[in-house]
């Protein structure tokens, strides 16, 4: 295939052809089979250097224009993308023309980002500056509108604050399970 896409930021093995970028977008949307935010789609392709940012967004625009993908806006104003039947057929027919490693990296990254976004929507983190410096961080593990757990801890600085927030969002159930186990055994 001819290289006709910008390759700034593309890792070895990444996509340098506009048709392949459009196909990868269809493939990701087909594989996750759920609405994915435009931002998460972009991030999933950029994270491993699979395609150039500008090429991804140009491809999304073209796919929307020709009816291969659809976009809806959720209640928070976030753009959510899905594959149309046409997009699914293209992904099913042409998926093997993309390298397997590219397909796997992109889909795994998209799923991780979608899971993180869901966790962030469903759980709460509140931060308050402590009078003597540092921060109080309250983690709330939610089940719908009901709080299963609220935990407030003190952290010394903003670096520690970001680390504990990230680790909580990576697996809030793990924290909950560890606390329950520690308290019941």
């Amino acid at each position: 295939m001819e290289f006709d896409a910008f390759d700034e930021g593309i890792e070895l093995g990444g996509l340098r052809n506009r048709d392949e970028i459009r196909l990868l977008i269809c493939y990701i949307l087909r594989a996750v089979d759920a609405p994915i935010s435009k931002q998460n789609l972009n991030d999933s392709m950029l994270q491993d250097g699979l395609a150039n940012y500008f090429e991804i967004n140009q491809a999304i625009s073209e796919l929307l224009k020709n009816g291969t993908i659809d976009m809806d806006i959720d209640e928070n104003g976030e753009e959510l993308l899905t594959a149309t039947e046409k997009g699914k057929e293209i992904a099913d027919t042409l998926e093997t023309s993309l390298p397997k490693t590219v397909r796997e990296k992109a889909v795994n990254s998209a799923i991780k980002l979608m899971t993180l976004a869901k966790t962030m929507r469903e759980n709460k983190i509140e931060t308050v500056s402590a009078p003597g410096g540092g921060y109080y961080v309250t983690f709330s593990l939610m089940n719908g509108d009901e709080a299963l757990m609220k935990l407030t801890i003190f952290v010394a600085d903003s670096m520690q604050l970001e680390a504990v927030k990230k680790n909580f969002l990576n697996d809030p159930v793990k924290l909950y399970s560890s606390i329950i186990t520690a308290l019941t055994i």
Side-chain angles (χ1 to χ4, degrees):
M1 275 198 159
E2 172 186 323
F3 295 157
D4 62 356
F6 292 120
D7 62 1
E8 184 66 33
I10 306 303
E11 298 292 326
L12 188 61
L15 304 179
R16 291 171 172 80
N17 178 281
R18 291 181 175 137
D19 289 337
E20 288 179 331
I21 294 168
R22 287 189 292 270
L23 177 55
L24 182 59
I25 291 168
C26 291
Y27 180 79
I28 292 169
L29 294 174
R30 173 71 167 141
V32 298
D33 201 28
I36 182 172
S37 74
K38 185 177 177 183
Q39 183 65 49
N40 281 346
L41 179 64
N42 259 300
D43 290 347
S44 68
M45 294 174 71
L46 291 171
Q47 187 168 308
D48 292 314
L50 298 177
N52 175 280
Y53 174 83
F54 298 105
E55 295 292 347
I56 295 167
N57 285 292
Q58 179 64 35
I60 290 170
S61 294
E62 291 169 6
L63 292 168
L64 286 167
K65 188 175 182 178
N66 70 21
T68 308
I69 65 174
D70 279 331
M71 180 170 38
D72 290 317
I73 309 293
D74 72 4
E75 63 277 356
N76 299 321
E78 193 166 36
E79 299 171 321
L80 300 176
L81 302 172
T82 54
T84 62
E85 285 306 313
K86 178 180 175 182
K88 291 175 183 178
E89 286 176 24
I90 289 169
D92 289 343
T93 304
L94 300 174
E95 74 177 77
T96 55
S97 65
L98 291 171
K100 183 177 181 183
T101 55
V102 169
R103 293 187 314 237
E104 288 175 352
K105 282 180 184 178
V107 170
N108 288 339
S109 183
I111 290 170
K112 284 179 189 173
L113 291 168
M114 289 173 65
T115 302
L116 179 60
K118 182 177 186 241
T119 301
M120 289 172 70
R121 278 192 312 272
E122 293 177 352
N123 298 288
K124 297 178 185 173
I125 301 174
E126 298 170 351
T127 305
V128 177
S129 295
Y135 302 91
Y136 291 108
V137 187
T138 301
F139 302 99
S140 300
L141 181 65
M142 306 299 290
N143 182 18
D145 292 336
E146 182 181 355
L148 298 176
M149 174 189 74
K150 278 193 173 196
L151 172 68
T152 301
I153 63 171
F154 174 80
V155 295
D157 56 33
S158 59
M159 276 182 48
Q160 192 177 25
L161 172 66
E162 291 307 313
V164 297
K165 286 167 62 174
K166 179 183 173 206
N167 288 332
F168 173 74
L169 290 172
N170 279 338
D171 195 353
V173 174
K174 180 180 178 183
L175 175 65
Y176 179 76
S177 298
S178 298
I179 291 171
I180 293 295
T181 300
L183 294 173
T184 57
I185 294 182

